[in-house]
Each structure stands twice: as structure tokens, then as C-alpha cells.
Amino acid sequence: MHARLKAAVGLLAGCTLWMTPQAQALTVGDQQAEASSRTAAAADPAYDVLVFSRTAGFRHSSIGAGVTALRELGAANNFTVDATEDPAAFTTGNLARYEAVVFLSTTGDVLGAAQQTAFEQYIKGGGGYVGIHAAADTEYDWPFYEGLAGALFHSHPPTQSATVKIEDRAHDATAHLGSTWQRTDEWYDYRSNPRATAHVLASLDESSYSGGTMSGDHPIAWCKDYQGGRAFYTGGGHTDESYTEPAFRRHLLGGVRWAAGMTDADCRPETGYTPLFDGSGTTGWKQAGPGGFALADGTLTSRGGLGMLWYAAKELTGNYSLKVDWKVAGDDNSGVVIGFPASDDPWSALNNGYEIQIDATDAADRTTGSVYGIKSADLAARDAVLNPPGEWNTYEIRVTGERLEVFLNGRKINDFTNTDPARSLRQGHIGIQNHGDGDEVAFRNIRVKQGGTQQPGPRTGEVKGVNGKCLDVADGNSADGTGIQLWGCWGGPNQQWTLADDGTLRSLGKCLDVDGAGTADGTKIHLWTCHGGTNQQWTPQPDGSIRSTHSGKCLDASGATWNDGTKIHLWTCHNGPNQKWTLS
């Protein structure tokens, strides 16, 4: 369904949108928000959303307006809204009907123990959560919910106007906004800063209003992958007027679409990056070759070519992580070029560096995510997360020595090691390509982190083994004792593993476990509640094996042929292909 969705969106890339007289009277930003909403309407397959607004504490008068706005967004964008304040809706069977559950200004303890368990299972099974405003003033004694929401309410000053700083202009909830957003709301302070565990989309400029108490780092909207599911939160939505504001409605729509899996984004925590292009200008950049880039709305858009805009102010050396937000208008061609010596000749850069391609319809080694002309991306992994023309994508290009890893919207899609003595990834400049007439590719927010390239916090993705198959929790069952097997990769939550800082490998909220802390060859590997034992700790090795901390033996696909359903067990390490694993 997801791939069909994205193909459908692509068909709309060149469409002209009809605008009502009311829309024509809006500000430019609001027109963009309304237009974005209508584009999504024809793109998304039908799906269902549950809106839950029970209150056991303060009740916001805007809840009714919020329900109405979400119903209207659903009617315009092909999702159905069921609204309830009855916690009895939180059963395993009923929640399975919904792609996302919205907590709309809930307050206090709104779910009982059995209902909490059902909701936890829903999230761990790949469900989506959207928290609006007082959703952060909810369930203070439920640790799972605090982690899901990202942060809980502490206090707030009076309702007033403030400047919202947009930190991520690629996510569907914020791509329609400028670099700042002036609006009036009740601005929450939170008990903790979510930046370490969530990807911050927008934050408050505390100097623009009175009463902020988060020491100048004040996230107000964020997203995160959480125990197999997706979680989006926005602090806006206190006032009735919020829900008639086109830009805020588009913000909500983007959160719902992402939580429901209709669009993808890199929602890993992000800290320590330095901007190379932040939208304010191109100081330090030089154009090589014909054509160029137009700068408008903090965005560089290619025109003509073949040329390249390259960052001449600094050469990147050693290990680094480069992130670039990009969007194609249709069937367009461009790329990100790295590792080349200073040159005003774009062909020199291509011949002496490496291009990470942007072009969805070319040959496998020359299509989006490929190392151009050298190594194709993992096309199945790429297609599962590639947003279509008209929507933003994010590359992370991670360089460690001569190893080059490419992540698209937070998921690894390519892994390449340079062996060409005439080239080196250890030093060089970076650039973005303007390919030629008719190719329109836009870029935003180019930033780099040098030194350690590992993202802060755990790494999450597929674990691929022999025959390109994935480490899979059998039948997606999260019960203790569920077996682990090989299965064709398909992107499901039971194939998503988190390598945590404590050495555990986690899926569906539980840990990869050696049965009974055994050490014998053939001991079963299964899923089990995390308990901190060494039989749940694993160490990836440079040779591609994954070793049990408890026994020193290897994670092994049993037998001599490896098909869907092959069991995973413990075995003495022997460097065979059935003991080689790649962590996304």
C-alpha cells in the first residue's frame, strides 16, 4: 500500500491546484498550507484515525474545535475520523482498525491498566500516535506514555504571541512553513527536554514572549520512532482559533500523515550539526560550470547545467555525517557530490569524488540512493521510505574512513567502501548538482557533524543476513518465547531492531534473548522481556558477526540453505555467510 501511495502522489507533481476565493485572500504561507493539504487529498489511500479527547483534569474548551478540524482535514485528505472519550475504545481488536490515534488535549489519567496494555501493543505493532497540546498533561504515572509523548507538562505563562523557530523544513508537518512562524497560543514548559530522544521540528524563541523557563532550548513540536511505532507531538492547539488557522491545520495534517505512515521523515534525534547552508545565503559556496541555483524561501532550486554548487569555504576531513534535505518536482536529476578536490570544473568533481544520485527513474546504479555508476542502493529499502515528487526527503551521508553509508529518511539504503587508490573519502569538498535544463531539484538545510558520525542514541533499522533476508520476529508476535527467523525483508515492525546503548537488540519492545542463558551450539534465540542479563547483550564485530556477550558465540542462521522461516540459534563462530549480519 505504501509504495502505491507514493506512486500516486508522483502523478500529481505537475497538477495545478484550484483555489477558492477564500484561499486567494489568505497570506502566501496560508495559501501554501491549503495547497499542500489539497495535494495530499488525492494522494493518500483511505485510512482511519481515532481521536481521543477524554479529560480527567482541566478541560480545554477548544476540544470541540479540534475534533471538527480533524474531521474536516480527514474529509479533504481521505481519512476517516472516529472521535471518542470512551476508554473502552482501547482494545486490541478496535485499535487495529486505525493507522493513528490522536490524543487531543487529554488530561490526567484517562486509561485503565488493560487499556494501557492494549495501546502499548498497538504502538509496538507499528501504530501511530499524535499528541496535541495537553496530551503532554496526561498519564504522569505511566512511563511508556511519557516516552511516547516525549515530554510532560510542567507549567505555562498566559496565552500570548511568540516566535516559533522551524528547525526541520523537510518533515510534512513543517515543510510548508518558513524559517519562523509567528502565532498565538498557550506555550507549555515541559518537565524535561525531549531533544535527546526525539527529533525536534520546531522550538520557541524564549526572547519573543514572557514566561518561558527552558533556558533557551525550548522544543515545541517533535517526532520520534518509539518501540516499533511512530509518535508526533505538537504543543500548539490551546485556543479555538488555532483550529481555523490554515498553517496550524496543515501542521496537524502533516503530523497525522506521518504518524499514519503516509509519508516518511528522518525522526532520529539530531544534535551537534553545523549549517553549511541554512537558507539565509550562499556565503562560502561557489558555482562550477553552467547553470546555477535560485535562492528563495530558504531553498536552493537547480536551473540549467551541467554544473555544481560546491562548498569552497571548507574541506571535510576525517569522519563526518552530512545531512541534506531535497525535493524533486517530477522526473528530475541531481545529486550530492562528496570527496573531491577543490575545482571549478564539475566534471573534475564527478571524476575524482563520489555522487550520491537523485533520480528515481534511471538504471539501478544511477538512481536515487546509488553511488553513481558504482553501487546501487538497496532498492526495496529505498522504495519503502522514498517520498514522491513534491515532498521532501532527507539524506544522511555518513563517512567513516573509506566507508560511505547512505541513509534516506532515517533508513540505511546503501553501504559502500572505497577501494580506488585514485580517490579518497577521507578528505574533500561537497557539492550539489544542477544537472541540466528541465531538471528542477530543490535543497534545504545542508549541515554537517564532524568527528563521531554515530547518531546520538540507539540505532534502529533492519538486520540483514544471508541471502539478503532480514532478522524477523515470527508472525510479529511479541509474546515471550517467540522464535526468531530469517524472512524476506518487507519493512514491518517485526523486522525493525534497535541496537541500544546497553548492548541489547530490541524489537516490538522486547529483547533478543539466548534461551535460558544457554551456551551450547543450537541454543534457541527468541524474544523475551528485557531484564538486563548478559544473555540479552550482543556485540557487532568488524567481520560482520554478532556475538553474544554471555557466551562469545555467534548469532547463526541454522542449516546449510537459508529460506524464509530459517530458524536463528546460537553457534560457535566460524566466519560463514550465515553468521554475517548488516545493521541498518
Side-chain angles (χ1 to χ4, degrees):
M1 180 180 74
H2 202 44
R4 290 198 299 272
L5 148 71
K6 295 187 174 187
V9 177
L11 296 175
L12 300 176
C15 292
T16 300
L17 298 172
W18 176 82
M19 299 190 73
T20 65
Q22 291 85 353
Q24 292 171 356
L26 298 172
T27 66
V28 172
D30 286 344
Q31 288 180 13
Q32 292 173 341
E34 291 291 305
S36 296
S37 176
R38 278 190 293 277
T39 300
D44 293 347
Y47 62 101
D48 297 301
V49 172
L50 179 66
V51 175
F52 182 56
S53 55
R54 186 185 185 198
T55 55
F58 180 82
R59 184 169 183 85
H60 284 74
S61 62
S62 60
I63 286 175
V67 171
T68 297
L70 289 164
R71 288 193 189 278
E72 291 173 351
L73 286 170
N77 294 277
N78 213 24
F79 63 87
T80 299
V81 168
D82 291 337
T84 185
E85 299 203 349
D86 186 356
F90 284 72
T91 65
T92 300
N94 189 54
L95 290 174
R97 300 167 48 204
Y98 301 103
E99 274 69 27
V101 177
V102 179
F103 278 56
L104 173 59
S105 283
T106 50
T107 53
D109 295 334
V110 291
L111 296 178
Q115 296 144 5
Q116 290 178 353
T117 298
F119 188 56
E120 288 188 21
Q121 291 173 344
Y122 167 77
I123 294 296
K124 292 173 181 177
Y129 162 86
V130 174
I132 300 175
H133 194 56
D137 189 19
T138 300
E139 294 288 356
Y140 288 91
D141 297 321
W142 183 13
F144 176 89
Y145 184 83
E146 181 177 3
L148 180 71
L152 295 178
F153 168 78
H154 177 261
S155 61
H156 66 78
T159 299
Q160 59 193 293
S161 179
T163 300
V164 181
K165 299 178 294 184
I166 307 304
E167 298 192 21
D168 183 332
R169 297 187 67 203
H171 194 285
D172 194 49
T174 45
H176 64 291
L177 298 168
S179 58
T180 60
W181 185 19
Q182 195 73 28
R183 61 183 309 273
T184 296
D185 218 310
E186 180 182 75
W187 302 113
Y188 277 7
D189 298 301
Y190 301 95
R191 295 186 177 192
S192 60
N193 191 317
R195 192 177 293 277
T197 60
H199 179 71
V200 176
L201 303 175
S203 58
L204 291 175
D205 178 354
E206 288 193 335
S207 69
S208 69
Y209 73 106
S210 299
T213 64
M214 295 188 68
S215 302
D217 183 14
H218 196 143
I220 199 64
W222 53 82
C223 61
K224 65 192 301 188
D225 297 308
Y226 187 72
Q227 295 196 21
R230 294 181 174 203
F232 167 87
Y233 172 82
T234 179
H238 172 79
T239 66
D240 287 22
E241 292 78 10
S242 294
Y243 297 100
T244 58
E245 178 189 343
F248 185 73
R249 286 164 64 103
R250 185 62 185 88
H251 178 59
L252 292 182
L253 174 62
V256 170
R257 292 188 71 222
W258 178 80
M262 299 296 125
T263 187
D264 280 287
D266 188 347
C267 282
R268 297 173 295 170
E270 182 176 313
T271 58
Y273 284 80
T274 299
L276 303 182
F277 169 72
D278 63 3
S280 60
T282 55
T283 301
W285 293 81
K286 292 180 65 178
Q287 178 67 29
F293 287 82
L295 172 58
D297 188 30
T299 304
L300 290 166
T301 303
S302 66
R303 58 186 181 189
L306 188 147
M308 179 185 65
L309 185 67
W310 63 288
Y311 192 65
K314 183 178 182 180
E315 187 174 17
L316 301 185
T317 60
N319 299 339
Y320 64 87
S321 168
L322 175 71
K323 285 195 172 186
V324 180
D325 298 339
W326 58 269
K327 177 179 71 172
V328 296
D331 183 10
D332 300 294
N333 190 315
S334 184
V336 180
V337 188
I338 67 169
F340 59 89
S343 175
D344 286 325
D345 178 5
W347 289 105
S348 174
L350 294 173
N351 292 331
N352 293 284
Y354 287 106
E355 179 186 1
I356 311 306
Q357 179 71 336
I358 298 172
D359 183 351
T361 61
D362 212 329
D365 66 343
R366 293 175 294 167
T367 190
T368 297
S370 66
V371 181
Y372 184 84
I374 297 173
K375 186 174 181 181
S376 170
D378 179 334
L379 298 182
R382 182 204 66 183
D383 290 347
V385 295
L386 176 63
N387 290 325
E391 295 190 19
W392 287 91
N393 293 275
T394 299
Y395 269 159
E396 182 196 359
I397 300 169
R398 185 185 295 177
V399 172
T400 309
E402 295 293 347
R403 183 184 184 188
L404 168 62
E405 299 169 272
V406 181
F407 295 76
L408 175 65
N409 296 327
R411 182 169 178 178
K412 188 158 77 171
I413 61 168
N414 211 334
D415 195 333
F416 165 74
T417 299
N418 172 52
T419 58
D420 183 350
R423 308 188 197 200
S424 177
L425 291 167
R426 297 178 185 274
Q427 62 184 47
H429 292 271
I430 66 101
I432 53 176
Q433 184 186 77
N434 55 295
H435 186 267
D437 291 336
D439 286 313
E440 183 180 318
V441 181
F443 295 89
R444 283 178 176 170
N445 196 16
I446 304 173
R447 65 268 195 204
V448 69
K449 179 169 68 173
Q450 294 199 265
T453 60
Q454 175 68 37
Q455 283 289 332
R459 289 171 60 183
T460 298
E462 294 171 338
V463 178
K464 291 190 175 181
V466 63
N467 291 345
K469 293 185 180 292
C470 276
L471 197 66
D472 178 285
V473 181
D475 300 321
N477 186 348
S478 62
D480 284 353
T482 300
I484 308 299
Q485 61 187 7
L486 281 181
W487 202 271
C489 300
W490 64 282
N494 62 319
Q495 293 185 349
Q496 297 296 304
W497 295 88
T498 296
L499 178 60
D501 292 336
D502 61 2
T504 56
L505 267 170
R506 302 184 180 215
S507 183
L508 304 180
K510 293 192 176 181
C511 280
L512 190 71
D513 178 285
V514 180
D515 185 20
T519 60
D521 284 353
T523 300
K524 178 183 178 182
I525 304 296
H526 58 195
L527 202 68
W528 202 268
T529 300
C530 300
H531 53 61
T534 56
N535 65 316
Q536 293 185 344
Q537 295 175 350
W538 303 87
T539 305
Q541 302 295 317
D543 64 2
S545 64
I546 299 178
R547 300 196 180 208
S548 167
T549 302
H550 179 71
S551 66
K553 291 191 174 183
C554 279
L555 194 67
D556 179 287
S558 65
T561 58
W562 305 286
N563 302 308
D564 285 354
T566 295
K567 304 303 181 187
I568 305 300
H569 60 195
L570 197 69
W571 203 267
T572 300
C573 299
H574 53 60
N575 205 36
N578 59 321
Q579 294 186 348
K580 302 294 186 184
W581 306 92
T582 301
L583 282 69
S584 297

